[in-house]
Amino acid sequence: MKNKKNICIIYTGGTIGMIKSEKGYIPSSVEFKELINSISDLKREEMPNLEIIQFNPLLDSSNMSIHEWNKIGQTISDNYDLYDGFVILHGTDTMSYSASALSFMLENLNKPVIFTGSQIPMCELRSDGYGNLVTAVLMAQSDYIKEVCIYFDGKLLRGCRSTKMSSSHFAAFASPNFEILASAGIEIEYNKNLLKRDVKGEFKFTPFKDVPVGIIKMFPGIQFKLFEKVMTEQLKGVVLETFGAGNIPSNSSGHLIPMIKRAYENGTVIVVCSQCVQGSVTLGAYETSQALNQIGAINGGDMTTEAAMTKLLYLFSKDMDIDEIRRMMNIDLRGELSA
Ligand code: ASP
């Protein structure tokens, strides 16, 4: 038997380890340990050596923030040389944000970091947690993966391309603008052409700083005035979730365009993404996006909102100057953006 790999499971919380309480589902540490110990597949000869690091407190991922992303990143960084791969057990609600954040924080990553969780807790009947966990662990020992991914319901997705699609189906995640990296049917098949290659340079962890960035979603009849102060004075970076290919209401642009202009002059970085989960922003394709193009808003291309928002945090955390941040937002750093 060849040398077994060492995989670290970082348990942060989420439905996978939750139990029912009077207030609804809550994370549990005691039951989860028992459940993990009862999974015979994890003890099979072909499985790697496993160690579990458990966070305290365990969280519903709706309660996660930059603080927890930094904690996950720091834990991986502290243990980077000790393990061949990492599995992060995490709630599904904000998993795409965390996976995107970690994709940026972990520079020159040369090992698998795989987020997974479940839609039904492992303590309940028909839980999808067992299958997700066992396959995520198998994938975490793969030599092909050198990036942050989400494994869920038979699919391995690039973390910074993923988004939560369903709150009720087992297929909770998709990466609509990027093909899946691997599929787990009878065989696990890796899409080797798409997976990241070996990176040169030393692994480095960049924690996020608590920079004020935000997401503003367009809706018909939006009263831009209400957002003026936030956009021009309070936020350093804004992701505008626009309609279709990057469109905003232009008949009320009397409010928005000068506001974005002021925000630009004040040094706010404005990135235009789309509310459509599939497709790309093309500023200037319609009259309703023309002005955005002219006043220095950044075309978010086919980035997810999650990737754009966490990329802003990453670049601000590196203390770059504003022009450099604006330039870098247009450059693909981790496979989050098509050319
Ligand atoms: N609210 C849960 C969480 O995100 C949902 C889940 O894990 O599926 O932690």
Side-chain angles (χ1 to χ4, degrees):
M1 184 85 198
K2 63 180 183 157
N3 280 348
K4 278 191 178 228
K5 294 217 170 168
N6 298 309
I7 304 299
C8 176
I9 298 177
I10 302 175
Y11 174 38
T12 70
T15 292
I16 190 162
M18 285 192 183
I19 52 165
K20 242 188 202 141
S21 79
E22 280 167 7
K23 297 182 191 160
Y25 283 114
I26 50 165
S28 148
S29 53
V30 185
E31 281 78 359
F32 183 74
K33 273 209 173 126
E34 282 165 18
L35 280 165
I36 285 259
N37 282 331
S38 72
I39 304 176
S40 55
D41 270 359
L42 292 179
K43 296 177 188 146
R44 290 175 66 104
E45 191 51 35
E46 53 272 54
M47 292 305 266
N49 300 319
L50 294 175
E51 266 182 66
I52 301 179
I53 295 177
Q54 184 174 300
F55 278 9
N56 184 15
L58 293 166
L59 288 182
D60 186 302
S61 73
S62 308
N63 286 326
M64 290 213 172
S65 65
I66 288 177
H67 174 76
E68 283 74 29
W69 298 342
N70 284 342
K71 195 166 152 188
I72 299 171
Q74 190 65 58
T75 307
I76 293 173
S77 175
D78 291 345
N79 292 281
Y80 191 73
D81 294 330
L82 300 177
Y83 296 98
D84 301 294
F86 297 84
V87 172
I88 320 292
L89 295 179
H90 192 288
T92 60
D93 286 344
T94 64
M95 193 185 287
S96 291
Y97 285 93
S98 299
S100 297
L102 267 293
S103 301
F104 294 113
M105 285 175 168
L106 305 177
E107 299 172 18
N108 299 326
L109 182 66
N110 243 325
K111 303 181 179 192
V113 172
I114 302 184
F115 280 77
T116 196
S118 71
Q119 295 280 60
I120 300 181
M122 293 217 293
C123 66
E124 302 275 6
L125 200 60
R126 293 182 58 245
S127 174
D128 49 334
Y130 295 95
N132 284 346
L133 173 58
V134 169
T135 306
V137 166
L138 280 174
M139 287 181 166
Q141 52 173 357
S142 162
D143 291 328
Y144 300 127
I145 306 171
K146 298 163 196 298
E147 56 183 298
V148 178
C149 304
I150 288 183
Y151 174 74
F152 224 89
D153 192 46
K155 293 189 179 116
L156 185 74
L157 310 172
R158 176 160 294 160
C160 56
R161 288 285 194 167
S162 67
T163 195
K164 185 170 179 181
M165 302 291 283
S166 175
S167 57
S168 48
H169 288 127
F170 287 144
F173 293 92
S175 58
N177 280 332
F178 201 73
E179 275 182 64
I180 62 171
L181 297 176
S183 64
I186 291 178
E187 301 283 336
I188 295 179
E189 286 173 26
Y190 291 96
N191 201 339
K192 292 175 202 148
N193 292 331
L194 294 179
L195 281 156
K196 287 205 164 282
R197 314 271 154 157
D198 266 343
V199 283
K200 292 185 194 79
E202 221 177 298
F203 169 76
K204 187 174 167 229
F205 162 56
T206 298
F208 282 1
K209 294 185 178 152
D210 213 348
V211 181
V213 302
I215 299 166
I216 299 179
K217 182 169 178 157
M218 296 296 114
F219 54 89
I222 182 170
Q223 293 180 29
F224 293 118
K225 260 277 173 246
L226 299 175
F227 300 95
E228 170 140 27
K229 220 173 162 151
V230 174
M231 272 180 68
T232 55
E233 289 170 36
Q234 291 167 339
L235 294 177
K236 287 192 159 194
V238 180
V239 178
L240 285 184
E241 254 203 12
T242 60
F243 305 128
N247 304 313
I248 54 166
S250 68
N251 48 7
S252 56
S253 64
H255 294 299
L256 183 64
I257 296 303
M259 187 161 75
I260 294 185
K261 228 177 177 168
R262 268 200 302 285
Y264 180 86
E265 282 153 14
N266 271 0
T268 310
V269 180
I270 293 169
V271 187
V272 183
C273 286
S274 175
Q275 292 172 21
C276 298
V277 290
Q278 206 271 319
S280 187
V281 164
T282 318
L283 292 186
Y286 291 85
E287 181 262 331
T288 42
S289 70
Q290 192 65 251
L292 282 176
N293 207 13
Q294 286 157 3
I295 54 170
I298 292 155
N299 186 338
D302 62 354
M303 268 190 291
T304 59
T305 298
E306 295 91 325
M309 185 258 187
T310 52
K311 188 172 176 179
L312 277 173
L313 276 172
Y314 170 67
L315 296 175
F316 275 109
S317 301
K318 289 186 81 77
D319 291 330
M320 291 178 180
D321 69 46
I322 301 298
D323 287 338
E324 184 65 355
I325 292 177
R326 289 187 173 126
R327 195 182 68 81
M328 296 288 279
M329 282 306 292
N330 270 322
I331 294 175
D332 176 37
L333 301 178
R334 303 283 189 274
E336 76 282 4
L337 178 67
S338 302

